[in-house]
Amino acid sequence: MQRMRAWRGPALLSFGFRPFFLIGGAYAATVVLVWLLVLTGAMASPGDWPPLAWHAHELAFGFVPAVVAGFLLTAVPNWTGRLPVVGWPLLGLVAVWLAGRLAVAAAGLLPGAFVAALATAFPVTLAVFLGREILAGRNWRNLPVLGAVILLGIAQALFHAELLQGGAPVRGDRLGIAITVFLITLIGGRIVPSFTTNWLKRREPGELPVPFNRFDAFVIAGGALGLLLWALLPMAPGPTRAAGLLLIAGGALHLVRQARWLPWRTGPEALVWVLHLAYGFVPLGFLLSGAGVLKADFGLEMAGLHGWAVGAIGLMTLAVMTRATRGHTGHALTAPPTTVAVYLAVALAALLRIAAALVPGWSVPLLTLAGIGWCAGFFGFVLLYGPMLIRRRA
């Protein structure tokens, strides 16, 4: 890698993971806390959007892109050998993200098209930053990652278009979740077996995870097709059946894929097993969603959607944020009990949210408990890891 220019300003702007993991974790908890208050009638939803639309948008297109930005702005320099984005350009990118959040909160006071433009500016700007580095570094292997960021911006634009036309933003929301799950299958499919292999080589001699091969590429491609059909095609008998069957097949194949990574050998280290636990919600989401589509069962579909959104996305982002923060701030790559507690809080939140969709009679208390678990996990991350993110040394 090129020699990095020394950034003498605040440590928070010395690497992309620092500001974006901090604001991403804090925002994830804040959005769900506000959502719980809205559900109980203690406050009104920000802006004039339907409350469910605000909740879905700010998690899928507020929280998730912040964490994606933090990860990629840190990983891409390692992939390309180029300098990372630091200092004032990084602060500008954070400001673009913040402008989108303020615009959505002020929806109703601002023209809808202006809100959409401000909100979608972040993925566009992030894609420009990343695209410049990937293309300049001739790092063609990671063009699919850039493509996924661009597609996340398109999904957000679709969400706003559906709102502006007076409809429910179902396809935009689903496409955002589908693209994020695809990113987990793509990037998670690299880091989970890689980190597992590294840990096993140091601690547990014996069998190692199977490296990425054509089977993984086939599973990712098949899963992506199922996700796309689930997100975009109308609920007509033919497309619905095809989507359902592809989702079921994708779930089975992802289970086989994960088994090749030997998750049962990672028990002693939470920083490793949490990656497998988070990835396990990917096939679970496929199977529940596929069954829901084939049976036209709304509860099963919602269980699958939240298996992905809370379990796969929520827990995987938490796992990546804690590991990357520890690794890049000079801390030992092991999870202390407090970190294990935030993992378990979000994992429990995912299971409770799935149960709330499957057991309608208990949905209110289960939703409340799931929200509390989510908030505990992400507020816990901010309290535990915030000091590491804002200081050069712990």
Side-chain angles (χ1 to χ4, degrees):
M1 183 183 288
Q2 302 176 41
R3 183 181 296 275
M4 186 173 15
R5 294 184 294 269
W7 167 249
R8 300 185 182 279
L12 193 62
L13 298 178
S14 65
F15 235 121
F17 75 92
R18 291 180 180 270
F20 280 111
F21 285 178
L22 185 61
I23 61 178
Y27 200 62
T30 300
V31 167
V32 172
L33 177 60
V34 170
W35 176 239
L36 289 175
L37 294 173
V38 170
L39 285 180
T40 59
M43 69 174 289
S45 178
D48 72 341
W49 287 3
L52 185 58
W54 174 84
H55 167 74
H57 183 277
E58 290 306 277
L59 287 176
F61 303 116
F63 153 61
V64 168
V67 179
V68 169
F71 175 81
L72 292 179
L73 289 172
T74 305
V76 166
N78 290 328
W79 298 342
T80 63
R82 289 175 56 81
L83 297 173
V85 177
V86 301
W88 296 112
L90 180 57
L91 181 61
L93 195 55
V94 171
V96 173
W97 179 87
L98 182 60
R101 310 288 61 76
L102 294 174
V104 171
L109 301 176
L110 301 171
F114 185 64
V115 172
L118 281 179
T120 55
F122 180 72
V124 173
T125 308
L126 178 62
V128 171
F129 273 75
L130 297 175
R132 179 192 65 184
E133 299 307 307
I134 289 174
L135 295 176
R138 297 181 176 274
N139 189 247
W140 314 126
R141 176 172 178 257
N142 288 298
L143 280 176
V145 175
L146 175 62
V149 172
I150 294 170
L151 287 173
L152 200 58
I154 292 172
Q156 188 173 9
L158 175 60
F159 189 106
H160 285 272
E162 290 177 296
L163 273 180
L164 289 171
Q165 293 171 5
V170 175
R171 290 183 178 178
D173 179 36
R174 286 191 171 202
L175 185 58
I177 291 172
I179 292 164
T180 309
V181 172
F182 167 75
L183 271 172
I184 290 173
T185 66
L186 182 65
I187 299 176
R190 297 183 195 175
I191 66 174
V192 177
S194 174
F195 292 161
T196 303
T197 296
N198 293 341
W199 184 82
L200 287 173
K201 283 181 176 179
R202 290 194 306 268
R203 299 289 300 274
E204 299 285 342
E207 186 181 6
L208 297 175
V210 178
F212 188 97
N213 57 27
R214 291 182 180 179
F215 176 78
D216 296 89
F218 174 75
V219 174
I220 291 172
L225 180 58
L227 287 166
L228 185 65
L229 288 175
W230 171 79
L232 294 180
L233 285 183
M235 287 301 167
T240 298
R241 182 167 179 78
L245 291 173
L246 275 172
L247 290 170
I248 294 290
L253 288 171
H254 275 289
L255 281 173
V256 174
R257 184 191 193 201
Q258 187 173 10
R260 289 153 43 101
W261 300 339
L262 314 179
W264 53 87
R265 299 199 65 209
T266 63
E269 179 49 62
L271 212 61
V272 181
W273 63 245
V274 70
L275 294 167
H276 290 271
L277 178 60
Y279 198 93
F281 283 99
V282 171
L284 180 61
F286 270 97
L287 294 171
L288 288 170
S289 296
V293 168
L294 289 175
K295 297 178 64 176
D297 187 314
F298 182 74
L300 278 171
E301 280 206 70
M302 287 299 98
L305 185 151
H306 286 96
W308 282 327
V310 184
I313 297 173
L315 191 55
M316 185 62 81
T317 54
L318 191 62
V320 169
M321 289 193 297
T322 52
R323 184 184 184 95
T325 299
R326 299 189 71 85
H328 286 282
T329 58
H331 288 75
L333 285 179
T334 187
T338 49
T339 297
V340 176
V342 301
Y343 294 159
L344 295 178
V346 174
L348 181 60
L351 295 174
L352 290 169
R353 187 58 187 87
I354 292 170
L358 296 176
V359 189
W362 287 84
S363 62
V364 173
L366 290 172
L367 277 172
T368 302
L369 290 172
I372 292 171
W374 175 278
C375 291
F378 282 96
F379 276 136
F381 168 80
V382 173
L383 290 173
L384 295 170
Y385 287 82
M388 302 182 196
L389 294 168
I390 64 177
R391 295 200 299 256
R392 292 191 183 278
R393 294 183 184 275

